[in-house]
Amino acid sequence: MDNPIKTVNFTGGYPEKVVLKDLELKLPKGQLSALIGPNGSGKSTFVKYLVKDLKPLPYTLYLENKDITEIKQNENATLISTVNQTNHLPEGFSVFEIVQMGQYNQRINDKNKVLKALKLTHTLKFQNQMINSLSIGQQQMVLLARSICQNTDTIVLDEPFNNLDINHTQLLLKILRDLIKNENKTIFCIMHDLNLVLSYFDYCFLLSKNGKIYCQGKPEETITPESIKSVYNTTVNFIINPGTSKKVIIV
Amino acid sequence: MLKKYKFKFNTITLFLVLLLILFTFIALNMGSVNIKISSLFEEGTMESFILRKIRIPRIMGSIFVGAILSVAGVVFQTIFKNDLADSYLLGISSGATFSISLASLLGFSLQNLLALPLAAFSGSLFAAFVILLISRRNQDNLILFGISLNFLLSSLTNLFVYLNKGQRDKIIFWSMGSFSSMTTEKMLLVGVFFIITTLLIYKRNKELDILLLDEQSALSLGVNVKKEKLILLILSSLSTALAVCFCGVIGFVGLMAPHLVRTVNGPNNKQLLILAPLTGGLLMLISDTFSRTILPAGELPVGIITSFFGATLFISIAYRRKRNG
């Protein structure tokens, strides 16, 4: 089986503290997957490993079946692109210039591809505006466009729906769906909003507090009163959303 | 293509080049002796000697040094993500003065074109690595650390200068920053160094742009952040060291020129790395021309002039930054 991201007996964290332990994760190709789990379970730490900000032990983390410790930074950026949670966006750059940075890994300067990425994320109209003049939701779309410009098969987004209003949330979901359908992308999101995962995602991994995968599979099978009780240590109820016929959590 | 700023890049470049040419001619004319530029083509006269051996090296030297310090300023400001960063304020210039004053105490002449630059390189690289290590732990108070490092190295420099009785006056005047000892050889050396280091840095203009983002984004875009920062830091520390070696510490030019250019033309490093050295060279030429003509006899160290204007700008940037939060 072809997995864009695969971990084998993966352990990760910081000198002071091990955050992720014995992680066995195989990301399904061509799907919209989510990594969920309580605060501090190591979700964002995992993203740091994916961009080589932190260095894992050899033979524990693979991108496209290559050991990440043997992948150079630039090659890494051609296998996987990420949209980070905390983004420091510098003053004085236009939206176009920010998206163009995504082509650094390919050493190209292709205006048409930048424009295409802007179009896919519905941000073409902002191309000449300053990045800092945009709302957070719009900035999020621009950063996704930059990821698209990197031309990787896999895109990882760290809590992309944070700070988005309903309109932008639906827009982002539609864009991600289109990317999977039309561009053959694999998309992996770190998520907090379990209802979005239940309603719109294909697959999910539920991390427990001690940094192990508690369970994984289709969201409606993974996110259950029992697993929530066990991982988040809280009791929730489910109802069926009449619009989508999917389960929804009532807190 | 992008209408962000009032003037076009090409217009600004042309304007700066013309100004530089204009001020070069003005500077050739000015000095303690009145000389016509046409004397340049005479053979064997006092006037042609002064123009060829004194004024031209000094004018070109000051332009190159201003340009070097500005390129270094652009790099420091980018890799430390701090628009107040400058080779002087980070202590990197003081690293060079420290090792030069030590070399002088050990008996090397200030005119030595091999031992002195090597000493300056080692001192500035040492200071640069200290700052780099500090920046990995604490980015917020970097300038404070830099200024403290500056004080620390300066106190040791002062000790070496104090002990160095024979050379004391010379070193003190040199360390205040002056082009008075510029020679054709030094000017050519600084020029060649400027061109090589600036080309190597210019090749990395995309990396510099990306380094302005947060580190995780830069990594995910494919920039090897640690390696690129190290290369850029070494290149700019070496060129700063050579400038300090020949002309002493001339502070704030590396702060002023990039800041002025960013205000007019934005942070795009590809353009900044062309406009900043032009601006820095121009500022330095004007400052030096002032410094050698403003006093009826003798001359003022140029570092005093640049520090006066530069520190004023520093205060205004720091003040505005506080207000913006």
Side-chain angles (χ1 to χ4, degrees), chain A residues 47-48 51 53 73-74 77 80 82 84 86-88 90-94 97 101-102 104-105 108-109 111 128 130 146 150, chain B residues 1-5 81 206-207 209-210 212-225 228 266-270:
Chain A
V47 179
K48 288 194 175 166
V51 298
D53 195 0
Q73 197 70 45
N74 194 66
I80 192 170
T82 62
N84 297 332
T86 48
N87 266 291
H88 166 89
E91 293 287 328
F93 283 97
S94 72
E97 288 170 314
M101 289 178 183
Y104 172 78
N105 59 351
I108 56 167
N109 218 339
K111 254 176 89 171
N128 291 337
M130 290 289 157
R146 191 179 70 191
Q150 274 182 256
Chain B
M1 179 187 63
L2 299 166
K3 267 195 181 169
K4 298 188 290 183
Y5 298 95
K81 289 200 199 80
K206 280 190 179 160
E207 284 85 343
D209 280 350
I210 292 176
L212 285 169
L213 306 170
D214 61 297
E215 182 159 339
Q216 203 172 323
S217 296
L219 287 167
S220 80
L221 288 169
V223 173
N224 190 335
V225 173
E228 292 301 328
N268 178 321
N269 279 290
K270 193 173 180 179

Side-chain angles (χ1 to χ4, degrees), chain A residues 67-119:
Chain A
D67 180 4
I68 198 169
T69 57
E70 288 175 7
I71 300 174
K72 292 208 163 133
Q73 197 70 45
N74 194 66
E75 194 193 347
N76 204 80
T78 63
L79 297 177
I80 192 170
S81 60
T82 62
V83 176
N84 297 332
Q85 195 182 352
T86 48
N87 266 291
H88 166 89
L89 292 166
E91 293 287 328
F93 283 97
S94 72
V95 166
F96 188 94
E97 288 170 314
I98 291 286
V99 175
Q100 203 170 26
M101 289 178 183
Q103 297 184 331
Y104 172 78
N105 59 351
Q106 304 146 73
R107 303 289 187 276
I108 56 167
N109 218 339
D110 189 335
K111 254 176 89 171
N112 290 327
K113 286 186 177 161
V114 175
L115 295 176
K116 190 188 158 203
L118 287 166
K119 213 175 280 171

Side-chain angles (χ1 to χ4, degrees), chain B residues 96-111:
Chain B
T97 33
F98 161 78
S99 48
I100 288 174
S101 59
L102 180 61
S104 170
L105 183 64
L106 295 174
F108 291 100
S109 153
L110 281 182
Q111 300 302 322

